[in-house]
Amino acid sequence: MNKVSSHLLLAALVCCGSGFAQQEKGDKEVGVGGQLLFTHTSNFIGNADFQLSFGYYASVRNYFGFEADPNITFEHTPGTPAVQGVALVNGKLVPCNAGSAGCIGAEAATSGTNSTNVGGFYGANYRRLVGNPKGRVFPFIGGGGGAYVQAGTSGKSVLGSFFGEAGLKAYVSQKTSLEFAYKLLYYPQSGGSFQDNSASLLTISLRHIF
């Protein structure tokens, strides 16, 4: 083998053979990202929040982790102005305000309200990665469960939740990957259909193994 060919082979091995390490048994992984939640009800509600995760690879394909998805919700409801009505006085219709005797159609003014709620989903999950163990892209499926906790001016609530997920993990460097995932959440409550008690969650996160 000539000198030029040796250099080309060495460059190929460095570039293609060791450029991406991927996850290995015993690796730990941290992640940060954001997500968009939308309900399946007719009165569509959406919410955006953060995602923090920490996990452990029991093998190249099996991941066990914990995640915290905190969010803060601010809500403002504007007030409404008073609306005058009419009343019949001495055979004539005259303007009147809400609360006046015989007044029809009047509405009292309402003041605006502000509320702040802090909450989030906290739970554990399992993922099974598929694909070439030496590749750069890993589709995955998984599931988990936990609780959605919310506290604020409207009170405190805790709601149990389960989910299934599917997604794609793509390495952008030797230890860092981008993840795109879809989760189908189910939070059982008394009464209501599956549509009323479920939601979809779209997640994008940046993850790093060490």
Side-chain angles (χ1 to χ4, degrees):
M1 182 179 296
N2 59 42
K3 188 175 182 179
V4 174
S5 299
S6 299
H7 287 170
L8 290 175
L9 179 59
L10 178 60
L13 290 173
V14 171
C15 176
C16 304
S18 60
F20 292 86
Q22 280 78 37
Q23 68 280 353
E24 296 178 354
K25 180 179 180 180
D27 279 348
K28 300 175 182 64
E29 183 179 73
V30 293
V32 60
Q35 52 199 21
L36 175 67
L37 173 73
F38 54 91
T39 64
H40 296 160
T41 56
S42 57
N43 56 328
F44 179 87
I45 300 173
N47 181 50
D49 56 5
F50 304 100
Q51 183 192 59
L52 305 172
S53 63
F54 175 80
Y56 171 82
Y57 283 95
S59 70
V60 174
R61 298 184 183 277
N62 295 292
Y63 168 88
F64 296 88
F66 300 90
E67 65 179 66
D69 307 334
N71 64 52
I72 301 176
T73 303
F74 301 95
E75 184 176 353
H76 171 71
T77 303
T80 59
V83 177
Q84 282 194 322
V86 293
L88 185 63
V89 179
N90 297 326
K92 296 181 179 180
L93 293 175
V94 297
C96 61
N97 297 319
S100 301
C103 191
I104 301 173
E107 296 180 6
T110 61
S111 57
T113 60
N114 295 289
S115 64
T116 302
N117 294 292
V118 179
F121 175 79
Y122 304 91
N125 68 315
Y126 165 77
R127 286 177 174 176
R128 173 69 176 180
L129 285 77
V130 297
N132 184 351
K134 299 298 183 180
R136 293 172 54 179
V137 178
F138 293 85
F140 61 82
I141 56 174
Y148 185 84
V149 181
Q150 185 170 346
T153 52
S154 60
K156 181 180 179 180
S157 63
V158 179
L159 184 65
S161 177
F162 305 94
F163 66 86
E165 67 174 345
L168 195 67
K169 182 184 189 72
Y171 278 89
V172 295
S173 72
Q174 195 173 37
K175 296 286 186 178
T176 305
S177 62
L178 275 175
E179 283 192 3
F180 306 87
Y182 167 79
K183 293 180 182 179
L184 177 62
L185 300 173
Y186 177 64
Y187 32 89
Q189 303 179 74
S190 58
S193 64
F194 178 83
Q195 183 178 15
D196 295 328
N197 296 330
S198 64
S200 291
L201 190 65
L202 302 176
T203 303
I204 301 175
S205 61
L206 184 68
R207 302 204 173 205
H208 186 76
I209 55 177
F210 61 95

